[in-house]
Amino acid sequence: MMAYNQEPDQCWECYSCVKLCPHDAIEVRHYADVVPLGAQVHPRRAAQSISWTIRFRNGNLKHFEFPTRSTVEGSVDPYAGKPAADRSELGRDELLFTHGTHAADRSQFLELAAA
Amino acid sequence: MSGPFGLGNPQVVEEQVDILIIGGGMAACGAAFEIGRWAAGTDLRIKLVDKAAISRSGAVAMGLSSINTYMGENDPADYVRYVRNDLMGIVREDLVYDVGRHVDDSVHNFEDWGLPIWKQPGDERKSLREGGKPVRSGRWQIMINGESYKWIVAEAARKALGEQRIQERVFVVRLVTDRNDPKRVAAAIGFSVREHKVYIYRFKCCLLACGGAANVFRPRSVGEGAGRAWYPVWNAGSTYAMAAECGAELTMMENRFVPARFKDGYGPIGAWFLLFKANLANGAGEDFNALRAHELKDFKRFGKYGQNLPTSTCLRNHLMLTELREGRGPIMMDTASAMARLAENMTAEQVKHLEAEAWEDFLDMTIAQCGVWAGENIEPDKMPSEVMPTEPYLLGSHAGCAGIWVSGPSDLPGVPNEWNWGYNRMTTVTGLFAAGDGVGASGHKFSSGSFTEGRIAAKSMVRFALDNRGWRPEMSQTRDELVEQISRPAKTFLEHSGYTTAIDVNPHYITPRMVQLRLQKIMDEYVAGVSTWYQTNAWMLEIAERKLAMLHEDSLKMCARDLHELLRAWESYHRIIVAQAHMQHIQFRQETRYPGYYYRTDYNYIDDDHWKCFVNSRYDCATGRWELKKLPHKHLIKD
């Protein structure tokens, strides 16, 4: 099956489909009402990095590679090392469950807390 | 209804939950993360529903090259001062402060989950938690390798919530009030964009977090380029529209954001200013900022805001617009000289690294800009590049503050009673919560702040749901009425498509595409779009009001030949409501609060004596009327 874009003028060119395609079957021809022909920007996503090839209209090429993540995909444990929530704190707006509230200088408030 | 199910005759799926999260972007993911902990050990039923797939949905879909809100060495009070200065004095300082004090914790979590955050030399192996010093590209921004930013955050959100509590590819389009209390939300209805199914969720409370609004105005590119908007093209203003239709008060909907970006590709220019020290010049090569920044000192026009440093984003836009309007364009960014200057004291290796950083800035979040440069043979180290203010966008998380009026935190000194009604981030509709782009009068949250605000709202929703354990939602409309409304465009198509030989041309219906184009034309020409250089006045707005009302009426005759077009029909409908809100607010506020974003040419000055206040609005679904009012403003933080 060939790739198909059902509504090219409502496409953001976010490349999510290009990056995700396991067969590397999707390439982008940039929006023709603006961009001269002949250029191409194409990614290859690896486990923890992405490489990009940029081909200019004049044939010049650039190649870049950047890290994308420091952990293995699928390995994220959102709560690893983080405390459980204490529901007696549900009404305390200064706290989220992680208790990572930034240090704050209360004297910056025009009206200091009565307490 | 019964089978066989198909277009116009969907299967109806009903589900009862306690908490519904509508949306899948950064705010919704933050909510998922926080709620997983607070709801653990309770019997609360939770569901997250997104019209796309959360691994790549929302404004961070493409990735980002920086996190724009990170306190670090700054105090949250400094952040409030920065945000209120940039948004011309009028913000809810309680909401801004609340995001500021919690945001770093969110960023630390992103790093734990695998997001690469740039560090100062020597600190490369140290996490932010361990005291690693980030690379700042501004006082509040830190640089990241952010191609997989959303992917990583969504992975954490998915696991926090569990796959069984996530429903993707369902577009929620309408909220339903409670039968016994019209000021309370009871349900939400939407449809699958893949199958002929309508979903009705009944709940005790919900988080409305479906992003801001792009393509309400005619974009500068109107062909294929129309979709390559600066903000994601799928942001249809659904957050504001659904809230308004449910009776929630909106705030500061006159605000908009007009980003100055590399022309036609929307590539960010911030890093070129901050990291590469590049200069902007007009067509004649003049440094117009140096030449004309003194014009901002005109106190009668710009009040005290023109004296402030750093200069607000809208006022910087104003200087650029003045050049363009007076015929001194184009605006060029001298990328080549900037790179040459930096290269003077660098090795070839360092220069190569610098060039890669410049390209990564685009490749991480606005790939199309690379396409424009490659197509036009622009290499930034060899030639300059054009910069242009874009069409207007409505949003509450970036450098704008349109949105919904919400209750704030209860522990901050000096907060007026009107800013707090018991549940943080709850709107004026009981049970309806907002975050991210949805919350108004508190911009500059960006990705990290939106995630954080989702967390704040989630904690609050758990409290609300537990406080309302015994309450049972009952919908003010019947299931059949709701399904009928959802399916109307499909039924209209089926009923009338045989009347003509051209599927798009029919006197009995209008395609969602034509509705969008008509809306964009009205907004562009009368409500301060690009074609009038962002200028409007009372007379133009009066025409806009009339045309928008007719468009709203005609939207009931939209057609949908398939589920994709049904999606577009409802997005177009949401955009109309958002456009009406924006237009009404601009009409009401008789001053030019945001020069550079829009001008009321009949009140072309900032008027703190009369308009240093919030403007809130409420839409009455039954009559189609908007009620607007002023609300007093108050500063909480010292100057």
Side-chain angles (χ1 to χ4, degrees):
Chain A
M1 196 172 121
M2 302 275 283
Y4 174 66
N5 183 343
Q6 66 177 325
E7 211 181 356
D9 69 355
Q10 295 295 304
C11 163
W12 201 37
E13 278 191 27
C14 71
Y15 275 63
S16 292
C17 60
V18 182
K19 291 169 180 173
L20 199 62
C21 178
H23 304 289
D24 194 25
I26 306 174
E27 61 181 67
V28 173
R29 186 276 281 135
H30 301 288
Y31 36 128
D33 57 332
V34 176
V35 185
L37 294 175
Q40 201 192 25
V41 179
H42 197 74
R44 283 274 164 83
R45 226 172 153 239
Q48 292 181 313
S49 65
I50 189 164
S51 64
W52 292 91
T53 304
I54 301 174
R55 191 182 71 222
F56 285 67
R57 177 179 166 89
N58 61 15
N60 284 356
L61 285 173
K62 286 189 186 293
H63 187 79
F64 301 108
E65 187 171 336
F66 307 113
T68 54
R69 61 187 299 161
S70 60
T71 53
V72 175
E73 190 179 320
S75 71
V76 171
D77 177 354
Y79 299 129
K82 301 188 173 52
D86 174 355
R87 272 202 293 284
S88 70
E89 293 171 353
L90 261 180
R92 292 180 61 185
D93 287 335
E94 75 278 19
L95 293 175
L96 294 172
F97 82 85
T98 44
H99 284 207
T101 314
H102 198 282
D105 172 9
R106 283 262 171 164
S107 74
Q108 297 303 309
F109 279 86
L110 287 162
E111 289 175 43
L112 292 175
Chain B
M1 276 179 273
S2 59
F5 302 111
L7 189 69
N9 183 35
Q11 184 184 352
V12 180
V13 181
E14 293 186 78
E15 200 172 328
Q16 180 116 9
V17 296
D18 293 296
I19 300 173
L20 187 71
I21 300 167
I22 307 172
M26 290 300 284
C29 285
F33 171 60
E34 192 73 16
I35 216 164
R37 270 302 206 232
W38 290 107
T42 70
D43 56 359
L44 292 177
R45 294 158 300 176
I46 299 158
K47 194 105 194 192
L48 180 150
V49 55
D50 185 6
K51 74 174 173 182
I54 67 169
S55 295
R56 287 285 187 191
S57 65
V60 189
M62 205 170 340
L64 283 179
S65 62
S66 62
I67 287 175
N68 285 357
T69 309
Y70 182 72
M71 299 296 112
E73 63 282 18
N74 297 288
D75 190 274
D78 295 324
Y79 172 61
V80 171
R81 283 187 274 265
Y82 147 71
V83 176
R84 79 176 172 207
N85 174 55
D86 200 66
L87 288 166
M88 307 302 279
I90 306 174
V91 291
R92 279 277 300 275
E93 296 184 6
D94 58 332
L95 303 175
V96 176
Y97 190 90
D98 205 16
V99 166
R101 65 179 167 177
H102 293 305
V103 71
D104 284 14
D105 181 66
S106 295
V107 176
H108 298 163
N109 281 298
F110 300 158
E111 191 174 32
D112 293 344
W113 300 332
L115 179 68
I117 294 176
W118 296 12
K119 298 289 164 30
Q120 303 273 6
D123 274 3
E124 290 90 346
R125 300 225 154 267
K126 252 194 212 171
S127 71
L128 291 171
R129 270 188 211 284
E130 294 161 346
K133 293 261 179 307
V135 174
R136 287 277 193 196
S137 54
R139 182 169 178 187
W140 307 100
Q141 296 87 356
I142 58 174
M143 298 299 290
I144 59 174
N145 295 109
E147 187 278 333
S148 291
Y149 186 3
K150 183 67 200 304
W151 193 274
I152 293 165
V153 169
E155 185 183 326
R158 278 184 181 287
K159 288 193 177 151
L161 217 49
E163 292 295 332
Q164 75 286 357
R165 298 201 284 194
I166 297 172
Q167 175 67 60
E168 296 179 319
R169 314 274 178 206
V170 168
F171 181 23
V172 170
V173 299
R174 186 157 268 175
L175 299 174
V176 188
T177 50
D178 188 67
R179 191 165 67 187
N180 306 306
D181 181 355
K183 291 190 169 175
R184 183 165 190 158
V185 67
I189 181 163
F191 58 91
S192 165
V193 297
R194 294 277 171 91
E195 306 169 283
H196 295 291
K197 283 185 181 173
V198 163
Y199 287 79
I200 297 173
Y201 298 98
R202 263 175 277 240
F203 47 72
K204 291 188 169 66
C205 60
C206 79
L207 176 68
L208 190 56
C210 329
N215 273 346
V216 171
F217 283 79
R218 184 157 52 197
R220 288 191 180 276
S221 303
V222 295
E224 270 181 20
R228 280 62 165 180
W230 165 74
Y231 222 42
V233 64
W234 51 79
N235 270 7
S238 304
T239 310
Y240 314 131
M242 284 193 268
E245 285 206 305
C246 189
E249 240 174 66
L250 305 182
T251 189
M252 302 307 287
M253 288 299 288
E254 62 273 37
N255 181 269
R256 54 168 67 176
F257 184 43
V258 175
R261 291 293 183 270
F262 284 114
K263 189 170 180 296
D264 297 331
Y266 299 92
I269 60 173
W272 283 96
F273 274 129
L274 298 162
L275 284 184
F276 306 112
K277 316 290 178 207
N279 295 321
L280 279 181
N282 64 17
E286 297 166 331
D287 180 348
F288 59 90
N289 283 310
L291 276 179
R292 277 177 272 280
H294 65 88
E295 291 177 11
L296 299 177
K297 308 286 180 199
D298 177 354
F299 197 84
K300 277 189 186 151
R301 186 164 181 203
F302 302 112
K304 62 183 182 184
Y305 306 97
Q307 329 288 319
N308 293 351
L309 285 176
T311 307
S312 308
T313 311
C314 67
L315 292 176
R316 279 187 275 130
N317 264 20
H318 170 76
L319 291 174
M320 196 179 293
L321 281 174
T322 305
E323 297 305 299
L324 292 166
R325 205 170 48 233
E326 295 182 1
R328 292 189 294 271
I331 305 297
M332 303 299 290
M333 180 167 273
D334 192 355
T335 54
S337 300
M339 291 189 85
R341 270 198 308 275
L342 285 175
E344 279 168 15
N345 300 313
M346 286 182 176
T347 63
E349 186 69 14
Q350 286 171 317
V351 172
K352 207 170 161 46
H353 187 71
L354 189 70
E355 190 201 353
E357 285 181 6
W359 282 93
E360 187 183 5
D361 194 30
F362 293 165
L363 290 166
D364 275 354
M365 62 179 170
T366 168
I367 303 159
Q369 184 65 54
C370 297
V372 172
W373 277 7
E376 297 192 345
N377 290 330
I378 294 172
E379 292 181 57
D381 53 329
K382 297 194 175 69
M383 61 188 288
S385 213
E386 199 176 343
V387 172
M388 189 73 155
T390 70
E391 57 284 333
Y393 294 83
L394 288 125
L395 45 80
S397 75
H398 201 280
C401 62
I404 310 168
W405 184 250
V406 298
S407 181
S410 52
D411 65 311
L412 300 180
V415 172
N417 290 337
E418 297 75 29
W419 295 8
N420 182 280
W421 49 95
Y423 293 95
N424 203 352
R425 265 59 177 189
M426 191 168 86
T427 70
T428 56
V429 171
T430 305
L432 179 61
F433 291 74
D437 274 325
V439 172
S442 57
H444 292 268
K445 300 164 222 181
F446 300 100
S447 59
S448 52
S450 293
F451 182 91
T452 302
E453 198 167 39
R455 296 178 64 188
I456 294 168
K459 180 184 173 190
S460 197
M461 286 194 297
V462 170
R463 188 171 145 231
F464 180 94
L466 293 174
D467 287 351
N468 287 272
R469 264 183 185 287
W471 184 77
R472 294 275 168 273
E474 289 181 53
M475 298 193 298
S476 57
Q477 289 174 284
T478 68
R479 170 189 135 140
D480 287 351
E481 283 167 355
L482 289 165
V483 174
E484 185 70 23
Q485 287 168 25
I486 296 282
S487 310
R488 183 185 289 134
K491 289 194 165 172
T492 300
F493 175 79
L494 293 170
E495 190 179 341
H496 297 292
S497 61
Y499 186 76
T500 63
T501 49
I503 200 165
D504 287 334
V505 184
N506 195 306
H508 300 292
Y509 61 66
I510 178 168
T511 63
R513 182 184 176 77
M514 287 304 130
V515 167
Q516 183 172 327
L517 290 170
R518 208 167 119 193
L519 176 71
Q520 290 176 348
K521 182 176 165 67
I522 296 166
M523 295 304 285
D524 182 46
E525 294 180 350
Y526 301 100
V527 194
V530 297
S531 70
T532 63
W533 288 111
Y534 313 95
Q535 299 175 106
T536 185
N537 59 40
W539 309 290
M540 293 163 85
L541 292 166
E542 199 180 321
I543 297 176
E545 187 171 20
R546 188 165 167 270
K547 286 177 185 281
L548 285 172
M550 287 184 179
L551 182 62
H552 194 157
E553 282 172 22
D554 283 0
S555 70
L556 295 176
K557 293 185 178 172
M558 267 192 288
C559 70
R561 74 199 71 177
D562 53 27
L563 289 172
H564 182 70
E565 202 167 37
L566 192 61
L567 165 87
R568 293 288 183 243
W570 278 97
E571 287 180 339
S572 286
Y573 181 74
H574 289 163
R575 283 189 173 97
I576 294 171
I577 306 285
V578 172
Q580 286 179 311
H582 188 45
M583 184 259 130
Q584 291 283 343
H585 275 247
I586 288 179
Q587 191 177 49
F588 186 78
R589 183 179 281 278
Q590 294 177 333
E591 66 156 355
T592 296
R593 173 62 49 175
Y594 308 105
Y597 288 169
Y598 79 85
Y599 304 89
R600 272 292 302 257
T601 49
D602 44 353
Y603 301 95
N604 206 350
Y605 45 83
I606 294 171
D607 180 1
D608 266 358
D609 290 342
H610 300 99
W611 292 100
K612 182 77 182 286
C613 61
F614 301 103
V615 170
N616 284 15
S617 65
R618 199 170 165 275
Y619 177 63
D620 183 340
C621 239
T623 61
R625 297 182 97 83
W626 292 83
E627 272 176 47
L628 287 100
K629 64 178 180 188
K630 290 181 176 184
L631 271 89
H633 182 268
K634 188 179 177 188
H635 289 300
L636 303 182
I637 301 289
K638 292 175 184 170
D639 280 338

